[in-house]
Amino acid sequence: MPIIANKLAFYTDSIGHYPPIPAVNLAANVCAKLPAVTYDAQQLGSQSMGYAYNGQFNDGAPNWLGGLTMSQHTDMIQADTIVLHLGGGDVDPFIQGTNPDISQSPVAYLMTVYGWHAAAAGRKIAVVQAPLVVVTDYPKWNDGPDEQAAALAYRDSVGRLQQVRESVVAQINAHYPGAAQLIYYHGPNAIDPVTMVPGDTLDGLHPTETKHFLIARSIARALGAWRGWSVLP
């Protein structure tokens, strides 16, 4: 199928669409800042990369994409640019810290293979930076040392998820130079950095509505700078 210029395939986990707050819709709020683009957004849940790669759940039922693999879905909607914020809910020994070898990470492998397929077709792949965890916002943070240790362990796993993202971008670009880009929205590499302090998340991970809109703006500015798109204020 031909590729449609400035068409985004936007694949996210709960950071991209958080049902308790309807206004939290990362694809819609990012693309509202990019007047040149159109998009198709898909919110994928737990175990996102495995089910998206296989086209079905463990019981054989079709996945969120109607039984399509993520590559098939991207081909069908004819996107020229892909935005990924996935992998946090997958069972992954590297992310969970039980295997220090990132080459054994199924999330890294599946995202990389998907990226190779997309890049071979002439598409660009934007991998959004892993979120910042605010451990003191966890509801059980004050319940005692065990809960605090669990929150800190989760923060560390999200840090390893960022290493996965960096590896994926490097592996895609090693085969298809310039096809992939890591999109930062916090820290020194962000064009429009967003800070996260206690009170900026609902549960330690999901940002408040106010912070969500700042994150969406930051991602839009990074995408616009990379792809040469105009960005609204």
Side-chain angles (χ1 to χ4, degrees), residues 72-91:
Q72 289 171 333
H73 182 267
T74 304
D75 291 343
M76 182 187 72
I77 65 173
Q78 301 170 261
D80 80 334
T81 301
I82 298 146
V83 182
L84 299 176
H85 192 301
L86 295 173
D90 289 81
V91 176

Side-chain angles (χ1 to χ4, degrees), residues 42-53:
Q42 298 291 327
Q43 193 269 329
L44 310 180
S46 180
Q47 301 296 301
S48 52
M49 282 311 303
Y51 296 145
Y53 190 82

Side-chain angles (χ1 to χ4, degrees), residues 9 11 70 74 80-85 111-128 165 168-169 172-173 176 178-183 223 226-227:
Y11 301 110
M70 203 158 69
T74 304
D80 80 334
T81 301
I82 298 146
V83 182
L84 299 176
H85 192 301
M111 289 181 75
T112 298
V113 173
Y114 167 75
W116 286 339
H117 174 91
R123 296 183 167 92
K124 298 293 188 182
I125 305 97
V127 181
V128 180
R165 283 156 154 78
V168 167
V169 169
I172 294 171
N173 285 335
Y176 301 93
Q181 177 80 359
L182 194 56
I183 299 296
L223 283 170
W226 180 46
R227 300 293 284 125

